[in-house]
Amino acid sequence: MTPFDSLVEMGKKEMKKETGLGLSYKKDENFGEWYSEVVVNSEMIEYYDISGCYILRPWTMTIWEIMHDFFDAEIKKMKVKTCYFPLFVSPGVLQRKDHIEGFAPEVAWVTKSGESELDIPIAIRPTSETVMYPYYSKWIRGHRDLPLKLNQWCNVVRWEFSHPTPFIRSREFLWQEGHTAFATKTEADAEVLDILELYRQIYEDYLAVPVIKGKKSELEKFAGGLYTTSVEAFIPNTGRGIQGATSHCLGQNFAEMFEIIFENEKGEKAMAWQNSWAYSTRTIDGSVLSLMPGVATQSGTVQVIVVPVPFKDADTQSILDACSDTVKKLTEAGFRVEADLRDNYSPGWKYSHWEMKGVPLRIEIGPKDLAKNQVRAARRDNSAKVDLPMANLVEQVRDMLDDIQKSLFNAAKEKRDACIKVAKTWDEFVEALGQKKMILAPWCDEEEVEKDVKTRTKGEMGAAKTLCSPFDQPELPEGTLCFASGKPAKKWSYWGRSY
Ligand code: 87F
């Protein structure tokens, strides 16, 4: 053990004892408690005095901004324009169509202003189809008005009743909602997949969370639409699937309800084809669940933290200067870098603190490093430490961050893949479910059969349902039977418990 290492150990102990910053739960032993502790200690979330509402601290909002900037730039390339519709919804508009029916209990209402009751209560948007589409009807008249592609970044409120959880199940969340209208189904179909691919990139390339692209079953799709596609992640620790973002083809259902009708090139009346798509701050839980420890290098608020390691009689000022120079150099090269120059915390305390926050790479600069014109780099994901000469710091840091991102993704994918089990019979299915697996099974694709599976698997842990039918379908040999009904199977589908 070097003097530095013992300083680190001291720092860790001191931190846990004095500030309570250390984690008291283990991810593999008490997942729920671990999750609650991690989101607070990493300074992502602060709890709030209204159940299901959370303060998103800068550490979270920076991740959100990074995802926002990427996605917003991509959809602008697709000629999607930004808009903003009001937060408040008149009851007539909200209740206008039956698609809302099943969701009604989740809608929050404003009933008072000051002391007086409002004449008519006003709803807070849970989603904006019924808010926006009356205006689509007004704006879309001829084929030259199409395609109409709008997106808004906003907050929505859904008054969830099941156990609220930071990110995954919060009652207010931020999202983008895209609503597009086309003259033809072909264009709508193509856009559904283009958007889904961007969602895959957010999860896999930014958050390093592996996802499966696929189509939802009739039972699990957005009831108001024609079909729903999604990216699905899986949390090995809880054995639950989690729907990432969704990209829906609404078909002509809403066009019919809201009379979104245009005159086509032949001078005939035609109904528009519509899509809607969204991803939200609920997505960020992926960064907590799969990555802590080790927030992905692409989405992380701070990619590199620089920590000075002053020692005894060494010249502290020149160490601090070297830290500032390093920050400057790496910032200029385009990295998100900070130095922790606080003099009221030990280096060890700082290591633990930034580890907790998931910063993927730490640079330590002490007197020996200074003398050798180098820095010490420590990886968050595998604890490896290497000396990097100052001369080619930028290149080395870039390579290391790339490598960390790749290994985080590969590790998460290996862990996810180890949870996938193929089940061809009911017995195999039940056994795999008991082992908290994500189950790939041949299915007859009948709604009644999915309902039946739900009923038959009901229990303390929750019933199994379809997660998606993957676009990437394994071969389905002629004569393969459905695991649940024994009828001829039409496709492979993923099944499991989910959030
Ligand atoms: C809750 C209350 C009221 C979901 C709700 O996925 C209405 C709804 O319509 C509701 N929860 N939904 C479905 C939302 C579908 C759709 N909206 C636009 C999306 C993507 C973006």
Side-chain angles (χ1 to χ4, degrees), residues 195-269:
I195 294 292
L196 196 68
E197 169 57 17
L198 295 179
Y199 291 151
R200 183 199 66 77
Q201 288 174 29
I202 289 178
Y203 273 88
E204 297 200 334
D205 301 347
Y206 282 79
L207 298 171
V209 175
V211 288
I212 293 166
K213 281 187 188 177
K215 196 172 157 188
K216 287 284 187 181
S217 69
E218 281 303 299
L219 201 61
E220 291 298 325
K221 75 171 191 188
F222 172 36
L226 183 60
Y227 63 88
T228 294
T229 67
S230 68
V231 287
E232 301 282 329
F234 192 77
I235 315 298
N237 289 78
T238 58
R240 285 179 195 274
I242 178 164
Q243 178 179 295
T246 48
S247 179
H248 312 280
C249 178
L250 303 177
Q252 294 177 306
N253 297 354
F254 284 92
E256 199 177 329
M257 290 184 226
F258 290 91
E259 296 175 18
I260 306 175
I261 294 166
F262 67 100
E263 200 176 87
N264 68 18
E265 278 158 335
K266 295 181 210 145
E268 304 153 347
K269 295 273 172 217

Side-chain angles (χ1 to χ4, degrees), residues 472-493:
D472 189 7
Q473 284 277 317
E475 197 201 327
L476 188 68
E478 188 74 36
T480 305
L481 301 179
C482 169
F483 78 100
S485 70
K487 295 178 190 174
K490 293 209 182 94
K491 54 162 76 155
W492 289 94
S493 270

Side-chain angles (χ1 to χ4, degrees), residues 307-380:
V307 180
V309 190
F311 196 63
K312 281 186 185 156
D313 313 320
D315 176 0
T316 304
Q317 192 53 47
S318 44
I319 291 176
L320 298 181
D321 291 346
C323 289
S324 303
D325 288 349
T326 306
V327 171
K328 187 160 177 275
K329 200 168 181 176
L330 292 175
T331 306
E332 278 166 7
F335 299 106
R336 295 186 292 278
V337 196
E338 274 179 28
D340 187 345
L341 304 181
R342 292 176 288 182
D343 61 7
N344 54 335
Y345 293 107
S346 67
W349 188 96
K350 291 176 186 175
Y351 297 174
S352 298
H353 174 76
W354 296 102
E355 247 172 55
M356 171 88 61
K357 289 169 81 74
V359 172
L361 193 62
R362 177 177 75 233
I363 286 181
E364 306 161 13
I365 304 180
K368 278 190 196 153
D369 304 303
L370 207 59
K372 292 188 193 159
N373 200 24
Q374 66 182 31
V375 300
R376 190 133 217 254
R379 282 173 64 145
R380 174 77 177 84

Side-chain angles (χ1 to χ4, degrees), residues 94 99-108 124-129 133 157-159 173 175-179 199 222-224 228 243 246-248 250 254 275-279:
L94 193 75
H99 92 271
I100 287 287
E101 250 168 36
F103 298 118
E106 289 184 12
V107 177
I124 301 175
R125 71 174 156 232
T127 179
S128 303
E129 278 83 356
Y133 298 166
V157 171
R158 294 183 185 170
W159 216 253
F173 51 93
W175 76 351
Q176 60 66 220
E177 50 178 322
H179 294 267
Y199 291 151
F222 172 36
T228 294
Q243 178 179 295
T246 48
S247 179
H248 312 280
L250 303 177
F254 284 92
N275 292 341
S276 75
W277 26 272
Y279 83 95

